[in-house]
Amino acid sequence: MKYLKKIISTTLVTMLLSTSLSFANFDKEANFISKQNVDLSFYKYKPICINDSFNVQMKKIVENSEFFKTDMSYPLLKIEDKYINKKGYKGKVIENINKQICNYVVDFSEKVKQESEEYKKQYEDIFSKSGQDYVKYKYEAYSDYQVTYNKDNLISIPIKTYKFTGGAHGITYLKSYNYDLLSGKEIKLKDVFKKGVDYKEIVNSFIKDEIEKNKDIYFSNSEGFKGISDNQDFYIDSDGIVVYFQVYDIAPYYVGIPRFKMTCEEFGKYFK
């Protein structure tokens, strides 16, 4: 028994010495690296990429009645259980993005529904009692989306909405949600470009050149393109950015939503 205790004691001492030497070697290595101005955070933990912590699920709002129809599809960023409360977890950021998107889609659908209810009242109170034939419209609201960029702690989601409230045709809108997932801040077009770059001059020049290639389909003179705004619409995709305008902004209805792709290959030297 004494012999066995001696062996165990010797083993424990050896293990403690080995551990001490390991930490000593780690400290020496860390001290050496710190003198080289290298970030030592990787010794503590490896930060998660926020994009890996969630998956994108489709949510829907569906309703159909005599005077109103809606079929709204929109994204929900669903955080996986294993990432909840993990270091680097950005629950509030994800929650805010979901809230912004949901509110926009719901509000869009509700406004069209309210308009349909007003039309229904007019139709029943006036049109149906006049003895004349009137077209009965069904007001419609739709939405769809794409996740055009979802990596590098960035996300870009353009959402297309459409409404029909009578008349010859409906109208389509495009709204993009571009976010820095680390800070939670919405990305503006100027944020895509390096500091000191005159991004408006670069973008305006590019768009003018593109319009010139097909100038017959765009408005001209006072109704034509005058330059991008401070809050210019755009979204990010896998190989660049897409600057776009709403229907009727710079072109007739049949053109739809004018889009201008600025690729990384051509403009990457100006991008961050």
Side-chain angles (χ1 to χ4, degrees):
M1 180 65 71
K2 290 182 180 180
Y3 180 72
L4 180 60
K5 287 181 178 180
K6 185 175 181 181
I7 291 175
I8 293 173
S9 298
T10 303
T11 302
L12 287 172
V13 170
T14 302
M15 289 173 63
L16 288 170
L17 285 173
S18 176
T19 302
S20 299
L21 287 171
S22 295
F23 276 107
N25 289 333
F26 175 88
D27 290 338
K28 287 180 180 179
E29 183 182 359
N31 288 333
F32 171 77
I33 294 176
S34 65
K35 292 178 182 179
Q36 315 307 311
N37 296 317
V38 176
D39 182 12
L40 294 178
S41 60
F42 70 91
Y43 276 100
K44 300 177 182 178
Y45 70 97
K46 182 180 179 180
I48 63 171
C49 177
I50 309 303
N51 308 84
D52 296 333
S53 69
F54 62 83
N55 57 72
V56 183
Q57 300 181 353
M58 177 186 289
K59 303 290 287 183
K60 292 184 75 68
I61 302 171
V62 179
E63 184 177 340
N64 193 5
S65 62
E66 183 180 6
F67 287 89
F68 176 66
K69 180 180 182 179
T70 186
D71 189 346
M72 311 292 289
S73 298
Y74 65 97
L76 174 73
L77 310 187
K78 178 67 174 178
I79 299 176
E80 297 182 20
D81 292 340
K82 65 181 179 180
Y83 288 103
I84 294 178
N85 297 324
K86 185 176 180 180
K87 196 160 189 175
Y89 165 70
K90 294 289 182 177
K92 290 184 178 180
V93 170
I94 303 301
E95 182 181 346
N96 178 62
I97 295 173
N98 285 334
K99 183 178 179 181
Q100 295 293 326
I101 292 175
C102 181
N103 286 347
Y104 172 70
V105 170
V106 171
D107 287 348
F108 184 89
S109 180
E110 285 299 313
K111 285 179 181 177
V112 178
K113 184 176 182 179
Q114 289 174 10
E115 291 179 36
S116 74
E117 291 172 351
E118 293 172 4
Y119 169 73
K120 176 183 177 181
K121 185 178 180 180
Q122 292 175 350
Y123 185 88
E124 293 176 344
D125 292 351
I126 302 174
F127 301 156
S128 63
K129 297 177 182 179
S130 67
Q132 299 181 25
D133 292 331
Y134 285 91
V135 177
K136 180 188 287 186
Y137 291 115
K138 176 178 283 193
Y139 283 31
E140 302 174 13
Y142 301 98
S143 72
D144 198 3
Y145 69 91
Q146 288 181 288
V147 181
T148 55
Y149 199 86
N150 185 21
K151 57 184 178 180
D152 307 321
N153 291 312
L154 303 175
I155 194 164
S156 187
I157 308 174
I159 298 179
K160 182 171 65 176
T161 51
Y162 169 87
K163 72 174 183 179
F164 174 77
T165 56
H169 55 70
I171 190 165
T172 300
Y173 306 90
L174 189 62
K175 181 176 177 61
S176 298
Y177 292 86
N178 308 304
Y179 278 92
D180 179 334
L181 297 176
L182 288 176
S183 67
K185 293 182 179 180
E186 186 175 3
I187 302 171
K188 303 295 185 181
L189 183 57
K190 65 179 181 180
D191 300 325
V192 176
F193 291 83
K194 294 176 180 177
K195 188 176 181 180
V197 169
D198 188 348
Y199 79 97
K200 283 189 176 181
E201 173 61 29
I202 294 170
V203 177
N204 287 338
S205 178
F206 170 71
I207 293 176
K208 287 176 182 177
D209 289 344
E210 291 298 299
I211 289 176
E212 191 63 26
K213 295 175 183 177
N214 296 283
K215 58 184 179 181
D216 292 340
I217 69 171
Y218 295 97
F219 295 143
S220 59
N221 301 322
S222 62
E223 294 182 337
F225 174 68
K226 301 180 185 64
I228 61 172
S229 67
D230 291 337
N231 294 309
Q232 179 61 48
D233 291 325
F234 80 102
Y235 57 86
I236 307 167
D237 71 9
S238 59
D239 61 343
I241 62 172
V242 177
V243 179
Y244 64 89
F245 298 84
Q246 301 300 331
V247 174
Y248 290 126
D249 276 356
I250 63 172
Y253 176 81
Y254 75 87
V255 175
I257 296 174
R259 309 181 196 219
F260 302 90
K261 174 69 172 286
M262 303 181 71
T263 64
C264 291
E265 181 179 1
E266 185 175 359
F267 295 95
K269 60 184 177 182
Y270 302 117
F271 297 157
K272 286 184 179 177

